Amino acid sequence: MLSIGVATADSLYCYDGDTCYLNDEPLRLLGVDTPELPSDSGYLAKYFVNDWLATANNIEIVFSGRRGYYGRQLVDIYIDGQNLSKVLIERGYGEVYKWYSVDIRIERERKVERCNLVIAQLTTRLTFFLDKDSLKF
């Protein structure tokens, strides 16, 4: 049984290619749109995702903190380090969905980089200010 925070892999399943449930909480994958059920291609996407989940060594769910149109949590799911949405698109099970198209982990890394840059700039300014005041005339 795989750990996912406080949940287990047994409690994660996908209704279709882009809607999953974790402990009965509906999740909507960011960045991908898969065919609706009961279409044949919709079932193919569903079975692909659930088969991959069943054989995964590591599953990570990253919550965006936002909800979609139908109230589902917007998430990125990483299976063995691979972004599920991207794999669905690459393998032809889904298409890019621009409405929900942010890779949360990458966006968080960008925010941290921007914060670090601002901190570095402020530190440089503060150091200059302190050095300037310590000069004696």
Side-chain angles (χ1 to χ4, degrees):
M1 206 173 293
L2 301 173
S3 292
I4 312 170
V6 295
T8 63
D10 292 340
S11 64
L12 177 67
Y13 72 96
C14 290
Y15 169 77
D16 60 18
D18 56 33
T19 301
C20 299
Y21 288 85
L22 177 66
N23 295 332
D24 297 323
E25 173 73 26
L27 310 174
R28 174 63 166 87
L29 289 176
L30 289 164
V32 67
D33 187 30
T34 60
E36 300 300 321
L37 297 178
S39 70
D40 289 343
S41 52
Y43 281 113
L44 286 174
K46 172 184 178 172
Y47 296 139
F48 170 77
V49 172
N50 285 315
D51 287 346
W52 195 14
L53 289 171
T55 60
N57 292 316
N58 185 17
I59 300 168
E60 179 184 1
I61 303 172
V62 183
F63 292 83
S64 70
R66 298 178 298 150
R67 292 188 179 268
Y69 182 77
Y70 294 105
R72 297 171 289 186
Q73 289 271 0
L74 301 179
V75 300
D76 276 320
I77 296 178
Y78 294 87
I79 301 175
D80 296 330
Q82 297 182 67
N83 183 298
L84 175 57
S85 298
K86 290 179 182 177
V87 172
L88 285 168
I89 294 165
E90 289 168 359
R91 298 207 180 173
Y93 292 109
E95 298 177 351
V96 173
Y97 190 47
K98 293 184 179 183
W99 185 255
Y100 305 133
S101 63
V102 176
D103 185 322
I104 302 165
R105 222 166 34 178
I106 291 172
E107 186 59 28
R108 285 184 182 160
E109 288 171 6
R110 288 181 185 152
K111 285 181 182 178
V112 168
E113 288 172 5
R114 286 193 298 265
C115 288
N116 288 340
L117 179 62
V118 169
I119 289 169
Q121 290 172 342
L122 290 173
T123 302
T124 302
R125 290 179 186 165
L126 182 59
T127 302
F128 174 76
F129 178 76
L130 293 175
D131 288 344
K132 183 180 174 185
D133 284 348
S134 65
L135 295 175
K136 294 182 179 179
F137 294 97

